[in-house]
């Protein structure tokens, strides 16, 4: 079995739900990214606009000023995959020119009419994430009839739109969008039934690191830093159900959990 890859989060936003403002300078953000690589991150995801519930939009120039120096700084010292976390095709284009190799779009290339064409032009990997609504309103009253089927079908539709625009099918990743326009019940159903997305044939990225759903289960996890245990369980359960990339804040701990999980699976496959 191919080892799942770990995507380390590098937020360069003042208002991210978990670590907003902590990486206030380019130097701090680059150092943090390189530290995540040392801890075992396979991919770095750089974002300059918060998508937490209630977040306000960020202008293109402000977002570019946040992410481009960080991507360039990382690329100067590391040759591994770098993802740009943005909904803006103009930001994605400049980020790829600066060294990014993946576009992680929480709007699944739906925020701008030109996004699918730009994705095809860039010829990089594309993550299509499901979100009901927009960050400012997505958690107001999310509703589904069958959340698993609706998220799967919506993502397949976005993947079809991307390939119709010229994006190579083998460049597309799907992300169920845990916490993006979903209740606790929706998030748990999507995690438990992740195989429904795997069966589409697209590789799956899963991100539930430090999310509020953990607090909804364990009221003592009042802050993001209190949610490591829940984050690790969610990561391992997603991997068990077929996720290929896990997007996390706590890289060292996640890598260790994956090593132990893999060793157990290998022993089981060997028959003891």
């Amino acid at each position: 079995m191919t080892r799942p890859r770990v995507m380390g989060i590098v937020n360069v936003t003042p208002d991210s739900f978990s670590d907003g403002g902590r990486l206030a300078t380019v130097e701090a953000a680059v150092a943090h990214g390189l530290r995540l690589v040392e801890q075992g991150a396979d991919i770095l995801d750089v974002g300059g606009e918060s998508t937490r519930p209630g977040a306000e939009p960020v202008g293109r120039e402000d977002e570019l000023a946040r992410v481009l120096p960080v991507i360039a700084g990382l690329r100067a010292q590391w040759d591994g995959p770098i993802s740009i976390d943005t909904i803006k095709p103009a930001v994605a284009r400049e980020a790829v020119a600066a060294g990014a190799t993946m576009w992680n779009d929480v709007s699944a290339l739906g925020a701008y009419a030109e996004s699918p064409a730009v994705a095809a032009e860039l010829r990089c990997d594309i993550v299509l994430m499901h979100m009901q609504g927009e960050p400012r309103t997505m958690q107001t009253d999310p509703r589904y009839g069958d959340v698993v089927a609706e998220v799967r079908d919506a993502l397949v539709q976005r993947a079809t739109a991307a390939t119709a625009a010229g994006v190579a099918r083998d460049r597309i990743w799907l992300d169920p969008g845990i916490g993006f326009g979903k209740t606790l019940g929706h998030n748990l159903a999507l995690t438990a039934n992740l195989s429904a997305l795997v069966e589409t044939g697209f590789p799956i990225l899963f991100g539930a690191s430090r999310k509020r759903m953990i607090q909804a289960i364990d009221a003592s996890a009042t802050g993001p830093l209190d949610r490591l245990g829940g984050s690790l369980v969610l990561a391992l359960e997603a991997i068990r159900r077929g996720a290929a990339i896990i997007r996390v804040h706590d890289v060292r701990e996640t890598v260790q959990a994956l090593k132990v999980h893999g060793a157990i699976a290998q022993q089981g496959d060997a028959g003891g």
Side-chain angles (χ1 to χ4, degrees):
M1 183 178 74
T2 304
R3 181 179 75 82
R5 288 187 281 172
V6 173
M7 173 183 276
I9 298 169
V10 183
N11 281 328
V12 287
T13 57
D15 58 345
S16 284
F17 84 95
S18 177
D19 49 8
R22 192 167 67 84
L23 305 177
T25 67
V26 172
E27 293 76 16
V30 171
H32 177 69
L34 295 175
R35 187 160 52 248
L36 295 182
V37 171
E38 290 175 359
Q39 294 175 358
D42 303 290
I43 308 166
L44 296 177
D45 191 41
V46 178
E49 179 176 19
S50 176
T51 52
R52 63 176 174 78
E56 293 295 326
V58 172
R60 181 182 66 180
E61 295 307 316
D62 286 341
E63 189 175 351
L64 285 169
R66 291 173 182 178
V67 301
L68 291 184
V70 175
I71 292 170
L74 290 168
R75 180 54 71 220
Q77 301 183 65
W78 186 57
D79 61 0
I82 297 174
S83 167
I84 175 63
D85 182 354
T86 185
I87 65 171
K88 299 181 183 70
V91 173
R93 183 184 279 118
E94 294 204 36
V96 169
T101 56
M102 174 182 277
W103 178 4
N104 182 9
D105 186 352
V106 301
S107 76
L109 300 180
Y112 295 85
E114 65 268 30
S115 290
V118 172
E121 167 200 323
L122 295 178
R123 298 174 181 260
C124 64
D125 283 4
I126 306 292
V127 180
L128 305 177
M129 196 200 78
H130 180 274
M131 174 171 56
Q132 187 180 89
E134 60 178 8
R136 282 181 293 179
T137 60
M138 64 187 179
Q139 289 302 106
T140 302
D141 186 23
R143 297 190 181 192
Y144 301 85
D146 181 336
V147 67
V148 175
E150 289 176 40
V151 168
R152 178 199 62 210
D153 292 349
L155 286 173
V156 169
Q157 288 173 6
R158 294 310 303 160
T160 299
T163 56
V167 177
R169 193 182 193 282
D170 61 3
R171 291 285 194 184
I172 295 173
W173 294 75
L174 303 184
D175 179 345
I178 299 298
F180 284 78
K182 282 98 177 172
T183 65
L184 172 62
H186 297 147
N187 292 325
L188 292 173
L190 286 165
T191 304
N193 296 281
L194 197 63
S195 59
L197 268 69
V198 174
E199 289 167 2
T200 66
F202 293 99
I204 305 303
L205 184 151
F206 183 89
S209 178
R210 299 183 181 177
K211 290 195 173 176
R212 195 169 298 175
M213 67 175 289
I214 299 167
Q215 181 183 353
I217 297 169
D218 176 10
S220 70
T222 54
L225 297 180
D226 299 326
R227 301 170 188 166
L228 175 59
S231 298
L232 293 175
V233 170
L234 286 163
L236 292 177
E237 287 298 317
I239 287 163
R240 193 163 71 85
R241 289 164 171 79
I245 296 179
I246 304 296
R247 182 179 182 272
V248 302
H249 299 85
D250 302 291
V251 168
R252 185 189 304 280
E253 294 83 355
T254 303
V255 169
Q256 183 181 91
L258 289 178
K259 287 179 178 178
V260 174
H261 182 265
I264 294 169
Q266 188 174 35
Q267 185 68 15
D269 293 341

